[in-house]
Amino acid sequence: MKQSHESFCSLPFQNLQLDTSGGFRPCCKALEAIPKPDGSLYKLPEDDLDKVWMSPYLENLRAAFKRGEKPKTCKNCWSEEAAGIKSLRQHRVPSKERVERYISEATPHAPVDLDLKPSNLCNLKCRICNAENSTSWHREAQETLGFEMHDYKRYSSEKFNAENQKVLKGWFESVRHLEFFGGEPFLLKEHIKILDLAIESGYASRLTLNYNTNATVFSEQLLKTWQSFELINLGFSIDGVAERFTYQRHPAKWSTAKRVVDQFYQNRGEHIKLRFDVSIGVLNVLYLDEVFDWAASYPEVEVRFNLVHHPLHYSIKCLPAAAKAMARQKLEECLNKPAVNSEGLNQVIQFMFEENLEDQWQEFLIESRRADLYRGESLAEAVPLLAPWLADTASNSLNMPSFQALESGNSPE
């Protein structure tokens, strides 16, 4: 069945994501990792990049989209589109001519878009993150959630051996967009090696680099390296200001984030475009006005919304009904602020009411209490507008090895 240009999903034909574990997904929102024919998962550094790209799984996924189907691994995009939100799939729809080529031709020999997370090395442990994506989470996950540290050695190891560096260097003839997330990309040594490979390939000047950084690291050397590339899209994760920034992105300091943003803002060239990536979830949906007011002092910086899908209990869909009503009112009051995309904010409101996940609210309370006890923080103090819905949670609901020690005030931190 031939699809229209607008409805076709080109991501499995043009995109590949490397996870911090060394595994792969068709894109950052896909629910499934890419398996081998025997059911095990492809992993770097031991597997070959070319084999991943030409894998039967991706071939079957591409065939499903050619037939006009909606694979379950793409549920996040379907959910956003049902709420009227422009999904990643829709953002990435290429030209009509390229879509027709994807439908009619065999598998492209290399990706157009590469989303690389070479390591989970990170200096923060954000509330919505986890041990898979941040080394700073490891101790807390081990001591309060029973995670085994050895399970995460792979996540911080280097991924590209000599053979796959050679493949990657060859891919740069086709790649046009290279994304670095993390972990914190500006702390990753392999990030610099990959940029050097792109420069050595001779194709860096037509490459666009896209980053999401936690606004704790500034590098003049990186500014010099970026001069070899066509365009740099640099996003800062700013989900709150002042104490709400620190609470969500422990142990980051708001003063540091402001300084780093100012340094990049003052040193940006014409080929460096800045944006604020605001991940909208339970912890900040009632305080986005503060973010918008602060962002307005950077008139040339785009504010972009990301919706928190996972962990599920941080999604705004799980808010109690009365809290959703307050959130709607607060968001509607923001519609005319200078830094706000009103259409995007209306879509956020629609997304919040598109599904009722209030059964996850208790999980949010449990997780918040666990983290508060371990980190010596207070949700009620950091996010006081949520106070009416922060009912006490029974300690035996936490079911974690060291909860009694935390309750008695013996937090490891």
PDB file of all heavy atoms in Angstrom, residues 3-27:
ATOM      1  N   GLN A   3       1.823   4.963   0.587  1.00  0.00           N
ATOM      2  CA  GLN A   3       1.376   5.962   1.538  1.00  0.00           C
ATOM      3  C   GLN A   3       1.617   7.372   1.019  1.00  0.00           C
ATOM      4  O   GLN A   3       2.456   7.603   0.145  1.00  0.00           O
ATOM      5  CB  GLN A   3       2.125   5.803   2.861  1.00  0.00           C
ATOM      6  CG  GLN A   3       1.776   4.535   3.611  1.00  0.00           C
ATOM      7  CD  GLN A   3       2.533   4.498   4.909  1.00  0.00           C
ATOM      8  OE1 GLN A   3       3.622   3.988   4.958  1.00  0.00           O
ATOM      9  NE2 GLN A   3       1.948   5.030   5.961  1.00  0.00           N
ATOM     10  N   SER A   4       0.880   8.325   1.597  1.00  0.00           N
ATOM     11  CA  SER A   4       1.123   9.723   1.270  1.00  0.00           C
ATOM     12  C   SER A   4       2.435  10.160   1.893  1.00  0.00           C
ATOM     13  O   SER A   4       2.919   9.557   2.851  1.00  0.00           O
ATOM     14  CB  SER A   4      -0.023  10.590   1.797  1.00  0.00           C
ATOM     15  OG  SER A   4       0.026  10.649   3.213  1.00  0.00           O
ATOM     16  N   HIS A   5       2.984  11.216   1.357  1.00  0.00           N
ATOM     17  CA  HIS A   5       4.226  11.779   1.879  1.00  0.00           C
ATOM     18  C   HIS A   5       4.086  12.135   3.357  1.00  0.00           C
ATOM     19  O   HIS A   5       4.952  11.841   4.176  1.00  0.00           O
ATOM     20  CB  HIS A   5       4.577  13.015   1.046  1.00  0.00           C
ATOM     21  CG  HIS A   5       5.612  13.899   1.661  1.00  0.00           C
ATOM     22  ND1 HIS A   5       5.379  15.240   1.883  1.00  0.00           N
ATOM     23  CD2 HIS A   5       6.861  13.655   2.117  1.00  0.00           C
ATOM     24  CE1 HIS A   5       6.454  15.771   2.438  1.00  0.00           C
ATOM     25  NE2 HIS A   5       7.360  14.847   2.592  1.00  0.00           N
ATOM     26  N   GLU A   6       2.945  12.752   3.741  1.00  0.00           N
ATOM     27  CA  GLU A   6       2.770  13.236   5.104  1.00  0.00           C
ATOM     28  C   GLU A   6       2.605  12.114   6.115  1.00  0.00           C
ATOM     29  O   GLU A   6       2.966  12.258   7.281  1.00  0.00           O
ATOM     30  CB  GLU A   6       1.551  14.176   5.180  1.00  0.00           C
ATOM     31  CG  GLU A   6       1.729  15.485   4.429  1.00  0.00           C
ATOM     32  CD  GLU A   6       1.520  15.347   2.927  1.00  0.00           C
ATOM     33  OE1 GLU A   6       1.062  14.270   2.490  1.00  0.00           O
ATOM     34  OE2 GLU A   6       1.813  16.305   2.191  1.00  0.00           O
ATOM     35  N   SER A   7       2.043  10.995   5.720  1.00  0.00           N
ATOM     36  CA  SER A   7       1.747   9.926   6.673  1.00  0.00           C
ATOM     37  C   SER A   7       2.878   8.918   6.813  1.00  0.00           C
ATOM     38  O   SER A   7       2.906   8.132   7.746  1.00  0.00           O
ATOM     39  CB  SER A   7       0.471   9.183   6.253  1.00  0.00           C
ATOM     40  OG  SER A   7       0.680   8.511   5.018  1.00  0.00           O
ATOM     41  N   PHE A   8       3.835   8.955   5.897  1.00  0.00           N
ATOM     42  CA  PHE A   8       4.893   7.944   5.899  1.00  0.00           C
ATOM     43  C   PHE A   8       5.891   8.190   7.022  1.00  0.00           C
ATOM     44  O   PHE A   8       6.263   9.333   7.300  1.00  0.00           O
ATOM     45  CB  PHE A   8       5.617   7.961   4.548  1.00  0.00           C
ATOM     46  CG  PHE A   8       6.635   6.866   4.397  1.00  0.00           C
ATOM     47  CD1 PHE A   8       6.239   5.552   4.243  1.00  0.00           C
ATOM     48  CD2 PHE A   8       8.001   7.146   4.418  1.00  0.00           C
ATOM     49  CE1 PHE A   8       7.174   4.547   4.098  1.00  0.00           C
ATOM     50  CE2 PHE A   8       8.933   6.151   4.270  1.00  0.00           C
ATOM     51  CZ  PHE A   8       8.528   4.843   4.104  1.00  0.00           C
ATOM     52  N   CYS A   9       6.321   7.116   7.683  1.00  0.00           N
ATOM     53  CA  CYS A   9       7.362   7.224   8.713  1.00  0.00           C
ATOM     54  C   CYS A   9       8.698   6.809   8.110  1.00  0.00           C
ATOM     55  O   CYS A   9       8.909   5.645   7.782  1.00  0.00           O
ATOM     56  CB  CYS A   9       7.050   6.343   9.916  1.00  0.00           C
ATOM     57  SG  CYS A   9       8.318   6.470  11.201  1.00  0.00           S
ATOM     58  N   SER A  10       9.587   7.767   7.954  1.00  0.00           N
ATOM     59  CA  SER A  10      10.871   7.492   7.307  1.00  0.00           C
ATOM     60  C   SER A  10      11.978   7.140   8.294  1.00  0.00           C
ATOM     61  O   SER A  10      13.090   6.823   7.878  1.00  0.00           O
ATOM     62  CB  SER A  10      11.302   8.716   6.486  1.00  0.00           C
ATOM     63  OG  SER A  10      11.497   9.833   7.331  1.00  0.00           O
ATOM     64  N   LEU A  11      11.687   7.208   9.608  1.00  0.00           N
ATOM     65  CA  LEU A  11      12.756   7.040  10.593  1.00  0.00           C
ATOM     66  C   LEU A  11      13.545   5.743  10.445  1.00  0.00           C
ATOM     67  O   LEU A  11      14.774   5.768  10.478  1.00  0.00           O
ATOM     68  CB  LEU A  11      12.184   7.164  12.012  1.00  0.00           C
ATOM     69  CG  LEU A  11      11.878   8.601  12.442  1.00  0.00           C
ATOM     70  CD1 LEU A  11      11.135   8.627  13.766  1.00  0.00           C
ATOM     71  CD2 LEU A  11      13.157   9.414  12.549  1.00  0.00           C
ATOM     72  N   PRO A  12      12.909   4.574  10.272  1.00  0.00           N
ATOM     73  CA  PRO A  12      13.731   3.358  10.154  1.00  0.00           C
ATOM     74  C   PRO A  12      14.527   3.280   8.857  1.00  0.00           C
ATOM     75  O   PRO A  12      15.401   2.421   8.723  1.00  0.00           O
ATOM     76  CB  PRO A  12      12.702   2.225  10.239  1.00  0.00           C
ATOM     77  CG  PRO A  12      11.419   2.842   9.836  1.00  0.00           C
ATOM     78  CD  PRO A  12      11.473   4.268  10.298  1.00  0.00           C
ATOM     79  N   PHE A  13      14.251   4.175   7.907  1.00  0.00           N
ATOM     80  CA  PHE A  13      14.995   4.231   6.656  1.00  0.00           C
ATOM     81  C   PHE A  13      16.169   5.201   6.737  1.00  0.00           C
ATOM     82  O   PHE A  13      17.070   5.146   5.902  1.00  0.00           O
ATOM     83  CB  PHE A  13      14.079   4.677   5.505  1.00  0.00           C
ATOM     84  CG  PHE A  13      12.940   3.755   5.231  1.00  0.00           C
ATOM     85  CD1 PHE A  13      11.774   3.829   5.984  1.00  0.00           C
ATOM     86  CD2 PHE A  13      13.025   2.790   4.235  1.00  0.00           C
ATOM     87  CE1 PHE A  13      10.708   2.979   5.737  1.00  0.00           C
ATOM     88  CE2 PHE A  13      11.963   1.931   3.985  1.00  0.00           C
ATOM     89  CZ  PHE A  13      10.801   2.019   4.743  1.00  0.00           C
ATOM     90  N   GLN A  14      16.146   6.107   7.701  1.00  0.00           N
ATOM     91  CA  GLN A  14      17.157   7.147   7.724  1.00  0.00           C
ATOM     92  C   GLN A  14      17.855   7.312   9.070  1.00  0.00           C
ATOM     93  O   GLN A  14      18.899   7.948   9.161  1.00  0.00           O
ATOM     94  CB  GLN A  14      16.543   8.489   7.329  1.00  0.00           C
ATOM     95  CG  GLN A  14      15.581   9.069   8.366  1.00  0.00           C
ATOM     96  CD  GLN A  14      14.946  10.366   7.917  1.00  0.00           C
ATOM     97  OE1 GLN A  14      14.102  10.381   7.023  1.00  0.00           O
ATOM     98  NE2 GLN A  14      15.341  11.470   8.537  1.00  0.00           N
ATOM     99  N   ASN A  15      17.284   6.734  10.142  1.00  0.00           N
ATOM    100  CA  ASN A  15      17.763   7.027  11.493  1.00  0.00           C
ATOM    101  C   ASN A  15      18.247   5.770  12.213  1.00  0.00           C
ATOM    102  O   ASN A  15      17.707   4.681  12.031  1.00  0.00           O
ATOM    103  CB  ASN A  15      16.624   7.655  12.306  1.00  0.00           C
ATOM    104  CG  ASN A  15      17.114   8.274  13.602  1.00  0.00           C
ATOM    105  OD1 ASN A  15      17.471   9.454  13.639  1.00  0.00           O
ATOM    106  ND2 ASN A  15      17.129   7.507  14.681  1.00  0.00           N
ATOM    107  N   LEU A  16      19.265   5.949  13.061  1.00  0.00           N
ATOM    108  CA  LEU A  16      19.729   4.866  13.934  1.00  0.00           C
ATOM    109  C   LEU A  16      20.209   5.489  15.229  1.00  0.00           C
ATOM    110  O   LEU A  16      20.928   6.491  15.222  1.00  0.00           O
ATOM    111  CB  LEU A  16      20.881   4.087  13.277  1.00  0.00           C
ATOM    112  CG  LEU A  16      21.359   2.842  14.041  1.00  0.00           C
ATOM    113  CD1 LEU A  16      20.273   1.771  14.063  1.00  0.00           C
ATOM    114  CD2 LEU A  16      22.639   2.274  13.395  1.00  0.00           C
ATOM    115  N   GLN A  17      19.796   4.894  16.349  1.00  0.00           N
ATOM    116  CA  GLN A  17      20.230   5.392  17.650  1.00  0.00           C
ATOM    117  C   GLN A  17      21.076   4.357  18.374  1.00  0.00           C
ATOM    118  O   GLN A  17      20.725   3.184  18.444  1.00  0.00           O
ATOM    119  CB  GLN A  17      19.045   5.724  18.558  1.00  0.00           C
ATOM    120  CG  GLN A  17      19.526   6.210  19.932  1.00  0.00           C
ATOM    121  CD  GLN A  17      18.431   6.298  20.968  1.00  0.00           C
ATOM    122  OE1 GLN A  17      17.755   7.302  21.044  1.00  0.00           O
ATOM    123  NE2 GLN A  17      18.275   5.264  21.775  1.00  0.00           N
ATOM    124  N   LEU A  18      22.194   4.826  18.921  1.00  0.00           N
ATOM    125  CA  LEU A  18      23.035   4.016  19.801  1.00  0.00           C
ATOM    126  C   LEU A  18      22.715   4.369  21.239  1.00  0.00           C
ATOM    127  O   LEU A  18      22.818   5.527  21.644  1.00  0.00           O
ATOM    128  CB  LEU A  18      24.519   4.286  19.518  1.00  0.00           C
ATOM    129  CG  LEU A  18      25.518   3.708  20.529  1.00  0.00           C
ATOM    130  CD1 LEU A  18      25.535   2.179  20.458  1.00  0.00           C
ATOM    131  CD2 LEU A  18      26.920   4.274  20.292  1.00  0.00           C
ATOM    132  N   ASP A  19      22.315   3.376  22.042  1.00  0.00           N
ATOM    133  CA  ASP A  19      22.038   3.584  23.461  1.00  0.00           C
ATOM    134  C   ASP A  19      23.326   3.557  24.270  1.00  0.00           C
ATOM    135  O   ASP A  19      24.361   3.048  23.815  1.00  0.00           O
ATOM    136  CB  ASP A  19      21.115   2.482  23.998  1.00  0.00           C
ATOM    137  CG  ASP A  19      19.701   2.582  23.459  1.00  0.00           C
ATOM    138  OD1 ASP A  19      19.275   3.699  23.120  1.00  0.00           O
ATOM    139  OD2 ASP A  19      19.033   1.533  23.376  1.00  0.00           O
ATOM    140  N   THR A  20      23.256   4.074  25.505  1.00  0.00           N
ATOM    141  CA  THR A  20      24.426   4.038  26.386  1.00  0.00           C
ATOM    142  C   THR A  20      24.864   2.617  26.704  1.00  0.00           C
ATOM    143  O   THR A  20      26.020   2.373  27.044  1.00  0.00           O
ATOM    144  CB  THR A  20      24.127   4.776  27.705  1.00  0.00           C
ATOM    145  OG1 THR A  20      22.984   4.184  28.337  1.00  0.00           O
ATOM    146  CG2 THR A  20      23.858   6.251  27.455  1.00  0.00           C
ATOM    147  N   SER A  21      23.961   1.644  26.587  1.00  0.00           N
ATOM    148  CA  SER A  21      24.300   0.242  26.858  1.00  0.00           C
ATOM    149  C   SER A  21      25.120  -0.379  25.747  1.00  0.00           C
ATOM    150  O   SER A  21      25.675  -1.468  25.904  1.00  0.00           O
ATOM    151  CB  SER A  21      23.016  -0.578  27.038  1.00  0.00           C
ATOM    152  OG  SER A  21      22.313  -0.651  25.809  1.00  0.00           O
ATOM    153  N   GLY A  22      25.188   0.295  24.589  1.00  0.00           N
ATOM    154  CA  GLY A  22      25.824  -0.281  23.407  1.00  0.00           C
ATOM    155  C   GLY A  22      24.817  -0.895  22.463  1.00  0.00           C
ATOM    156  O   GLY A  22      25.164  -1.344  21.377  1.00  0.00           O
ATOM    157  N   GLY A  23      23.536  -0.928  22.879  1.00  0.00           N
ATOM    158  CA  GLY A  23      22.479  -1.441  22.021  1.00  0.00           C
ATOM    159  C   GLY A  23      21.943  -0.367  21.089  1.00  0.00           C
ATOM    160  O   GLY A  23      22.372   0.794  21.118  1.00  0.00           O
ATOM    161  N   PHE A  24      20.976  -0.751  20.264  1.00  0.00           N
ATOM    162  CA  PHE A  24      20.458   0.149  19.229  1.00  0.00           C
ATOM    163  C   PHE A  24      18.939   0.177  19.234  1.00  0.00           C
ATOM    164  O   PHE A  24      18.279  -0.789  19.612  1.00  0.00           O
ATOM    165  CB  PHE A  24      20.928  -0.297  17.837  1.00  0.00           C
ATOM    166  CG  PHE A  24      22.410  -0.194  17.629  1.00  0.00           C
ATOM    167  CD1 PHE A  24      23.249  -1.231  17.996  1.00  0.00           C
ATOM    168  CD2 PHE A  24      22.971   0.949  17.072  1.00  0.00           C
ATOM    169  CE1 PHE A  24      24.626  -1.140  17.807  1.00  0.00           C
ATOM    170  CE2 PHE A  24      24.341   1.051  16.882  1.00  0.00           C
ATOM    171  CZ  PHE A  24      25.164   0.001  17.251  1.00  0.00           C
ATOM    172  N   ARG A  25      18.402   1.299  18.775  1.00  0.00           N
ATOM    173  CA  ARG A  25      16.965   1.456  18.534  1.00  0.00           C
ATOM    174  C   ARG A  25      16.789   2.189  17.203  1.00  0.00           C
ATOM    175  O   ARG A  25      17.684   2.900  16.753  1.00  0.00           O
ATOM    176  CB  ARG A  25      16.310   2.270  19.658  1.00  0.00           C
ATOM    177  CG  ARG A  25      16.338   1.590  21.015  1.00  0.00           C
ATOM    178  CD  ARG A  25      15.795   2.498  22.124  1.00  0.00           C
ATOM    179  NE  ARG A  25      16.044   1.898  23.420  1.00  0.00           N
ATOM    180  CZ  ARG A  25      15.234   1.058  24.043  1.00  0.00           C
ATOM    181  NH1 ARG A  25      14.083   0.743  23.459  1.00  0.00           N
ATOM    182  NH2 ARG A  25      15.540   0.550  25.213  1.00  0.00           N
ATOM    183  N   PRO A  26      15.608   2.040  16.599  1.00  0.00           N
ATOM    184  CA  PRO A  26      15.368   2.781  15.359  1.00  0.00           C
ATOM    185  C   PRO A  26      15.408   4.291  15.577  1.00  0.00           C
ATOM    186  O   PRO A  26      15.808   5.038  14.683  1.00  0.00           O
ATOM    187  CB  PRO A  26      13.965   2.325  14.941  1.00  0.00           C
ATOM    188  CG  PRO A  26      13.767   1.017  15.633  1.00  0.00           C
ATOM    189  CD  PRO A  26      14.514   1.124  16.923  1.00  0.00           C
ATOM    190  N   CYS A  27      14.984   4.740  16.752  1.00  0.00           N
ATOM    191  CA  CYS A  27      15.057   6.157  17.099  1.00  0.00           C
ATOM    192  C   CYS A  27      14.969   6.278  18.615  1.00  0.00           C
ATOM    193  O   CYS A  27      14.739   5.289  19.317  1.00  0.00           O
ATOM    194  CB  CYS A  27      13.949   6.962  16.423  1.00  0.00           C
ATOM    195  SG  CYS A  27      12.337   6.791  17.203  1.00  0.00           S
TER     196      CYS A  27
END
